[in-house]
């Protein structure tokens, strides 16, 4: 019951964003840009500026890359068994390999562990965004038939990622002992607005998803991989890692979050199975209300 009380406030905010979008029909791209280009970079800067960088970050990076590659491998094997086309395989990669660490995972960790877990959650969010903007864009472009430009599109996407610059700036300021003085109050104020806005934005994005011709077989595979297999694989990866138990718990729980909302944008942009990806995003978000409490219980035993 305790897990439900943790999830209910999160889904309440998602629901408010969803309802507001249905009523007012906001331009969600404006909210997304505000969060992505302004608020999130300040939150990331704040974290890297205040928290000391440790070797644990290396293990987090290994974990993130390993989890993503393993899931892509599983999807590729299943695609071969199911005789999927390359476009379908790439669509399934977008549906299964990238977690919603930003809009969903980071607020979840905040509600679960408070500020103690936010450093790990934000580092995971930055790394996940890097993976989505490289491997995610690559597979989206490849599935859309833009094979020759897939890597170029990925590199262009990384260059447009302000949160990476926020992380670099925060790291450099801390490393060289550069004080931001009285500006810290303003940075903290903007950073504190990030979590509520990205949660509302996810609700708005879900309201915009239009599911036509629900592909039950593909979405069922995505559900099993994303909500069941991913946290199990994450647990196997972090089991032997020399990091503290709280960090391990957060990594496992974040792996169980739904399909990343940004993958829908990539799928639509490159026309890589947008129906499958949008259906998977909606279905995993809704069903995570059931699966996330189970993962939290097992991860925190």
């Amino acid at each position: 019951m305790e897990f439900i009380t943790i999830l209910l406030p999160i889904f309440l905010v998602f629901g408010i964003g969803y309802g507001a979008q249905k009523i007012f029909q906001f331009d969600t791209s404006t909210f997304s840009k505000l969060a992505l280009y302004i608020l999130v970079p300040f939150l990331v800067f704040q974290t890297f500026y205040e928290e000391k960088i440790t070797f644990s970050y290396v293990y987090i990076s290994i974990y993130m890359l390993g989890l993503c590659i393993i899931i892509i491998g599983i999807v590729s094997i299943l695609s071969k068994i199911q005789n999927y086309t390359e476009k379908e395989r790439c669509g399934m990669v977008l549906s299964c390999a990238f977690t919603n660490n930003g809009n969903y995972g980071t607020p979840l960790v905040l509600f679960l562990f408070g500020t103690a877990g936010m450093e790990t959650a934000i580092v995971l969010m930055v790394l996940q965004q890097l993976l989505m903007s490289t491997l995610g864009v690559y597979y989206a472009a490849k599935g859309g038939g833009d094979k020759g430009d897939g890597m170029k599109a990925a590199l262009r996407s990384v260059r447009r990622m302000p949160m990476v610059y926020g992380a670099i700036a925060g790291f450099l300021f801390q490393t060289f002992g550069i004080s931001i003085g009285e500006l810290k109050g303003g940075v903290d104020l903007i950073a504190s607005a990030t979590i509520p806005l990205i949660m509302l934005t996810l609700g708005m994005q879900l309201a915009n998803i239009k599911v036509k011709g629900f592909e039950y077989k593909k979405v069922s595979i995505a559900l099993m991989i994303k909500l069941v297999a991913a946290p199990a694989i994450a647990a196997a990866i972090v089991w032997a890692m020399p990091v503290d138990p709280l960090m391990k718990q957060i990594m496992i729980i974040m792996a169980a979050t739904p399909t990343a909302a940004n993958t829908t944008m990539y799928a639509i942009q490159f026309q890589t199975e947008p129906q499958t990806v949008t259906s998977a995003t909606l279905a995993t978000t809704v069903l995570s209300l059931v699966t996330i409490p189970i993962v939290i219980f097992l991860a925190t035993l």
Side-chain angles (χ1 to χ4, degrees):
M1 187 66 184
E2 181 184 349
F3 304 127
I4 298 299
T5 60
I6 290 169
L7 285 175
L8 280 178
I10 295 173
F11 273 83
L12 172 64
V13 181
F14 292 161
I16 290 172
Y18 184 96
Q21 180 60 20
K22 288 293 186 183
I23 295 169
F24 298 109
Q25 294 293 304
F26 292 118
D27 178 8
T28 54
S29 65
T30 300
F31 288 91
S32 297
K33 287 174 183 175
L34 176 62
L36 181 63
Y37 290 98
I38 306 297
L39 301 188
V40 172
F42 273 90
L43 178 63
V44 172
F45 173 85
Q46 180 194 55
T47 301
F48 281 79
Y49 176 70
E50 294 179 351
E51 304 294 339
K52 189 169 180 60
I53 307 299
T54 66
F55 198 74
S56 297
Y57 285 29
V58 176
Y59 291 111
I60 294 176
S61 301
I62 292 170
Y63 151 78
M64 287 294 294
L65 185 60
L67 178 63
C68 189
I69 289 173
I70 290 170
I71 291 177
I72 290 173
I74 292 171
V75 169
S76 297
I77 292 169
L78 289 175
S79 296
K80 196 168 186 64
I81 293 171
Q82 297 292 331
N83 293 317
Y84 287 156
T85 63
E86 183 64 5
K87 179 187 282 286
E88 289 176 312
R89 182 179 79 90
C90 290
M92 290 300 291
V93 167
L94 293 177
S95 300
C96 302
F98 306 100
T99 57
N100 198 339
N101 285 355
N103 304 76
Y104 194 125
T106 303
L108 177 62
V109 169
L110 181 61
F111 275 89
L112 274 172
F113 304 108
T115 55
M118 282 300 287
E119 177 190 352
T120 300
I122 290 169
V123 172
L124 286 168
M125 178 177 69
V126 173
L127 292 173
Q128 180 62 59
Q129 190 64 42
L130 272 171
L131 285 172
M132 277 196 296
S133 298
T134 51
L135 286 173
V137 172
Y138 172 76
Y139 278 101
K142 188 177 182 183
D146 203 0
K147 298 178 183 178
D149 194 50
M151 192 55 67
K152 290 180 182 177
L155 291 173
R156 285 197 302 269
S157 179
V158 172
R159 288 199 300 268
R160 293 196 297 266
M161 280 182 56
M163 75 169 62
V164 173
Y165 299 113
I168 293 170
F171 172 74
L172 291 176
F173 273 52
Q174 184 198 93
T175 302
F176 293 104
I178 302 171
S179 174
I180 58 174
E182 299 303 318
L183 294 176
K184 189 177 183 303
V187 171
D188 292 344
L189 192 62
I190 297 173
S192 65
T194 306
I195 301 299
L197 183 66
I198 61 176
M199 293 171 71
L200 288 168
T201 302
L202 176 59
M204 294 177 190
Q205 289 171 333
L206 293 175
N208 288 338
I209 290 177
K210 294 179 174 59
V211 177
K212 301 174 184 176
F214 196 85
E215 299 184 76
Y216 291 96
K217 190 172 185 179
K218 290 179 183 175
V219 174
S220 297
I221 292 172
L223 284 168
M224 289 301 297
I225 293 174
K226 191 71 219 59
L227 300 182
V228 180
I233 295 167
I237 294 173
V238 305
W239 178 72
M241 281 188 171
V243 297
D244 66 77
L246 177 61
M247 188 173 287
K248 289 183 179 181
Q249 291 170 2
I250 292 171
M251 288 193 283
I252 294 168
I253 292 168
M254 292 281 259
T257 56
T259 302
N262 282 358
T263 57
T264 298
M265 178 182 68
Y266 294 151
I268 293 170
Q269 179 181 343
F270 292 97
Q271 282 303 295
T272 302
E273 295 285 294
Q275 197 55 49
T276 299
V277 179
T278 53
S279 298
T281 301
L282 183 60
T284 54
T285 301
V286 173
L287 288 181
S288 68
L289 187 59
V290 176
T291 58
I292 283 284
I294 298 171
V295 173
I296 293 171
F297 174 75
L298 294 174
T300 53
L301 281 176

